Amino acid sequence: MHYQLFLFICTIALVRSLPQGAPSSVCQTMMPFHGGGIRPQGGLPPYNVVPRRQGGQVFVTVTSSLGIPFQGFLLQGRTPNGEILGQFDSSSVNEGHPLDCGEAADSITHNSPNDKNSIDVLWTPPKGYEGPVIFNATIAQAYDTFWVGVESNPVDITNRGANDPQFAFPTQSNSPTPPNYSPPEVKESAAEFDPFYQGCSFSKLCFGSPANCIDSKNCKSAVAVSVAGDKYDFELKAESGAAWVGVGLSDDDRMGDDSVIECVKRGNGIAAFMSYTKGKPNYGAPRLSNPQLGIQILNGSIIDGTIYCRVRRDALTNVNGTIFDLLSQKYYLLIASGSKVRANSVAFHDLSYLASAESQALSDVSSLAPKSKLLIRLHGSFMIAAWLGTASLGILLARYYRQTWVGSQVLGKDVWFSWHRTFMVLTWALTMAAFVLIFVELKAWSGENNPHAILGLVTTILCFFQPIGAYFRPHPGTAKRPLFNWLHWGLGNAAHIIAIVTLFFAVKLTKAELPEFVDWILVAYVVVHVISHLLLSIMNCVAEKSSERRVSSFPMKDLGGSGKSSAYADRSADAPFSTFRRAWLAIYILIILAIVVALIVITALAPIEESWSNFKSSVINKN
């Protein structure tokens, strides 16, 4: 009892001593004694120490490029061999007071544990000193979250004054800017600095979604892996809007039987869990009965909606009877994020998902390539070309152009029929190829909660049987010809309408990575297609009233007829307004071609926003 009371009194004394800043007993180690020995955070801190020469002094700023406030700090200037030197001007900072470690005011620490966005302080070198100085800091985000050894770039202290190198100062300050200081030209994307990406491919293995986002530093979700003694540290982050982010260790590039570390929003904080993915047919990622098996969360934050966590994992874990040995085995990385969570698992990865192209040892910090999405891109491109391009033209020709180009033939067939058949055969071939490609890629039914897959299957089935029925069509004048006419017209139009609806749903697919403005391009196609049908139908009605013969070669009333050529009074010449119909067909082809090409380019380059951003960044860097 007395022992517990003694510890309680010591703890009170310790907590009360913290608001007044660091004690002189930590001058050399700069290691806070928080909570009886809480360990400092590892890895890259979210804070920067930035020095800038100002005459014979150095102006030092401690800040966070991510806007994360901090509560406490200890700042020193040191030589490369660790000797503390110089003097801080405490009057230049309201949030700190000097600390005498070796000489008067050679260190500075906080006055209170209030949140600070940044501190600015002047430092004066010892008289006559020349050589490099490195400013070293301990920064406490909170009582149990702090970083030791946050260093600045070296500052060369010389007596040349104006010839000394200058250092950019990234935050606003009330102090005057020296006359010989020229602010660097601000380039796009250079204003924001995300320390998550620092060290990628040099000191840690990084992988993110979408593909190649690590280089451009604009990942929707990302993981960084580094060795921490006999354990491994996993840093995970996901952009604003995510409720969770996770990384899976897999024996292949597909979800199923994988060990997953997930970081999940819990109120205003972050919780980390271990889960295990199920294979087909019942995909899912339920948490383990002991969801903290082999892991320890070191740090977690939610800044402007962006999730970040750092989790330390044992090198050897037994997950559901499977041994995951991070030391001797290679793994594929599966990175994902989503907007929803369930009671005992995360929900579908509706924000981002990407698998690595190959397995790799987690201690290998070389770049990790993403799995190719060529088959997905080809699937989308083929479907766009088929149902927005060739199918649309084939339907229009069969509906309105039978009495056009009369007297001309291609391979012994009327022009309209030859082109109709060509376009519909292309539609069939592209659809079948796209169907095969997506199943080769997924090797299973889509796991997304989206009707795209079932609608695509219906479209493919209708498309598959349409040319087969056309091949066995009854001859004109036979009893079953009207039935064939209705079935051929109905199934063809049904397939086309369902295909267009399917393309709208494709925009919402995570794997497609299409921008939302694709919806408006599809709407533009629908408007053009509907206007074309209305315009050509109106021209038919006008022609029928102005002459005593039909213009439309395939009006609805003909579907129940024999299909004989006697529907027209004169089959030896083009129907009225043929010139207009030809001109409109040319306009229609140009518009549809532009829409199809635009959508195929967007699909092939998806996610096109990142591709465009990377292109602009490369141009800016070259300039």
Side-chain angles (χ1 to χ4, degrees):
M1 181 66 183
H2 292 85
Y3 176 72
Q4 293 176 339
L5 180 61
F6 173 75
L7 286 179
F8 178 72
I9 293 173
C10 289
T11 302
I12 292 177
L14 176 63
V15 171
R16 286 180 177 174
S17 67
L18 289 176
Q20 284 76 46
S24 58
S25 60
V26 300
C27 281
Q28 295 301 320
T29 64
M30 302 188 74
M31 175 70 73
F33 190 68
H34 287 186
I38 295 176
R39 297 182 62 182
Q41 302 296 314
L44 188 67
Y47 302 101
N48 304 316
V49 179
V50 182
R52 174 169 57 84
R53 288 295 303 271
Q54 182 167 301
Q57 298 175 303
V58 179
F59 197 85
V60 186
T61 298
V62 178
T63 187
S64 169
S65 58
L66 299 179
I68 303 174
F70 56 95
Q71 296 180 354
F73 66 91
L74 173 61
L75 179 64
Q76 297 175 341
R78 294 194 177 208
T79 63
N81 61 10
E83 179 185 354
I84 305 172
L85 77 164
Q87 185 179 59
F88 287 96
D89 181 3
S90 60
S91 64
S92 64
V93 57
N94 296 325
E95 297 288 347
H97 64 271
L99 180 67
D100 302 338
C101 286
E103 301 291 339
D106 58 2
S107 305
I108 193 166
T109 188
H110 57 278
N111 287 334
S112 71
N114 297 332
D115 283 348
K116 308 164 186 60
N117 292 319
S118 66
I119 62 161
D120 306 320
V121 61
L122 281 173
W123 177 87
T124 304
K127 187 176 181 180
Y129 177 80
E130 290 193 57
V133 171
I134 300 171
F135 290 92
N136 200 296
T138 290
I139 305 173
Q141 179 180 333
Y143 180 77
D144 58 350
T145 305
F146 55 89
W147 287 262
V148 177
V150 182
E151 294 184 346
S152 73
N153 290 325
V155 182
D156 190 21
I157 304 299
T158 70
N159 294 323
R160 295 190 300 271
N163 295 325
D164 288 340
Q166 305 298 316
F167 294 86
F169 182 48
T171 59
Q172 293 182 347
S173 171
N174 294 326
S175 61
T177 302
N180 58 347
Y181 172 66
S182 298
E185 180 182 357
V186 178
K187 296 183 178 180
E188 186 173 345
S189 78
E192 295 185 3
F193 169 74
D194 190 344
F196 179 91
Y197 300 100
Q198 189 168 347
C200 288
S201 300
F202 296 99
S203 60
K204 59 185 181 182
L205 172 65
C206 298
F207 183 66
S209 173
N212 306 316
C213 66
I214 295 296
D215 294 334
S216 56
K217 299 179 176 59
N218 60 349
C219 296
K220 292 182 178 179
S221 61
V223 60
V225 187
S226 56
V227 179
D230 59 348
K231 299 178 185 287
Y232 286 79
D233 283 356
F234 289 78
E235 292 179 83
L236 291 164
K237 69 169 294 184
E239 66 175 9
S240 179
W244 64 271
V245 57
V247 59
L249 305 182
S250 179
D251 291 329
D252 54 28
D253 59 6
R254 304 180 188 279
M255 178 179 170
D257 303 324
D258 314 316
S259 176
V260 178
I261 300 174
E262 59 184 60
C263 290
V264 182
K265 280 186 178 179
R266 281 291 178 90
N268 295 324
I270 298 293
F273 303 102
M274 282 274 278
S275 56
Y276 188 79
T277 62
K278 294 181 178 179
K280 58 183 181 182
N282 298 317
Y283 285 111
R287 290 178 188 143
L288 304 182
S289 55
N290 176 12
Q292 271 73 45
L293 175 69
I295 63 171
Q296 175 190 7
I297 186 167
L298 302 179
N299 191 17
S301 64
I302 305 174
I303 306 297
D304 294 331
T306 297
I307 296 176
Y308 171 83
C309 73
R310 186 182 186 93
V311 178
R312 182 159 292 172
R313 173 170 176 157
D314 294 342
L316 192 67
T317 49
N318 187 331
V319 181
N320 280 9
T322 302
I323 301 298
F324 285 85
D325 186 353
L326 278 58
L327 291 173
S328 59
Q329 294 182 10
K330 296 181 178 181
Y331 292 98
Y332 290 83
L333 292 185
L334 314 178
I335 184 69
S337 64
S339 60
K340 297 179 181 178
V341 294
R342 301 191 180 101
N344 295 307
S345 70
V346 297
F348 186 76
H349 45 77
D350 58 344
L351 295 182
S352 66
Y353 173 82
L354 190 63
S356 62
E358 57 186 16
S359 62
Q360 187 164 305
L362 299 185
S363 58
D364 185 356
V365 299
S366 60
S367 59
L368 192 57
K371 177 185 175 182
S372 171
K373 291 190 175 183
L374 176 62
L375 298 186
I376 293 178
R377 305 296 178 230
L378 289 175
H379 167 81
S381 299
F382 286 177
M383 285 300 194
I384 290 169
W387 294 102
L388 298 188
T390 56
S392 300
L393 288 169
I395 290 172
L396 211 69
L397 286 168
R399 181 82 170 93
Y400 302 105
Y401 288 85
R402 289 193 177 191
Q403 192 73 11
T404 309
W405 303 291
V406 172
S408 300
Q409 290 189 332
V410 177
L411 299 178
K413 300 292 184 181
D414 290 344
V415 172
W416 75 267
F417 181 78
S418 293
W419 282 110
H420 168 75
R421 181 173 59 184
T422 299
F423 285 134
M424 300 321 290
V425 168
L426 283 174
T427 301
W428 188 92
L430 289 169
T431 300
M432 296 304 114
F435 183 79
V436 171
L437 287 174
I438 200 62
F439 270 93
V440 170
E441 169 67 19
L442 299 181
K443 292 184 173 62
W445 188 258
S446 174
E448 297 203 34
N449 185 22
N450 186 308
H452 173 86
I454 186 66
L455 291 175
L457 178 62
V458 172
T459 300
T460 303
I461 292 174
L462 293 175
C463 178
F464 180 80
F465 287 107
Q466 188 75 342
I468 296 176
Y471 182 80
F472 292 103
R473 68 187 181 276
H475 291 290
T478 60
K480 294 183 179 179
R481 180 70 178 202
L483 178 62
F484 164 78
N485 289 342
W486 279 105
L487 285 176
H488 191 70
W489 177 87
L491 293 179
N493 282 280
H496 191 223
I497 293 171
I498 295 172
I500 302 306
V501 174
T502 305
L503 290 175
F504 274 98
F505 280 112
V507 180
K508 306 301 179 183
L509 291 172
T510 305
K511 290 182 175 65
E513 299 179 306
L514 295 173
E516 292 185 359
F517 66 77
V518 167
D519 279 334
W520 294 106
I521 300 179
L522 292 173
V523 168
Y525 160 80
V526 172
V527 170
V528 170
H529 191 67
V530 170
I531 288 177
S532 297
H533 277 277
L534 290 175
L535 188 60
L536 291 171
S537 295
I538 291 172
M539 294 305 300
N540 290 349
C541 296
V542 172
E544 286 181 352
K545 289 183 179 180
S546 63
S547 65
E548 294 183 355
R549 62 179 183 175
R550 298 174 186 172
V551 174
S552 175
S553 61
F554 196 30
M556 294 297 294
K557 62 184 75 175
D558 282 349
L559 290 175
S562 65
K564 294 180 179 180
S565 61
S566 59
Y568 291 93
D570 182 9
R571 298 288 295 181
S572 63
D574 286 358
F577 303 109
S578 291
T579 301
F580 170 81
R581 290 199 306 277
R582 292 175 184 176
W584 183 256
L585 180 62
I587 295 172
Y588 180 83
I589 290 174
L590 290 176
I591 296 175
I592 294 301
L593 182 62
I595 290 175
V596 169
V597 170
L599 288 176
I600 289 177
V601 169
I602 292 171
T603 301
L605 297 180
I608 196 168
E609 300 101 321
E610 281 73 19
S611 299
W612 176 245
S613 176
N614 294 344
F615 172 75
K616 289 194 296 183
S617 298
S618 63
V619 171
I620 291 172
N621 292 334
K622 289 180 180 178
N623 293 335

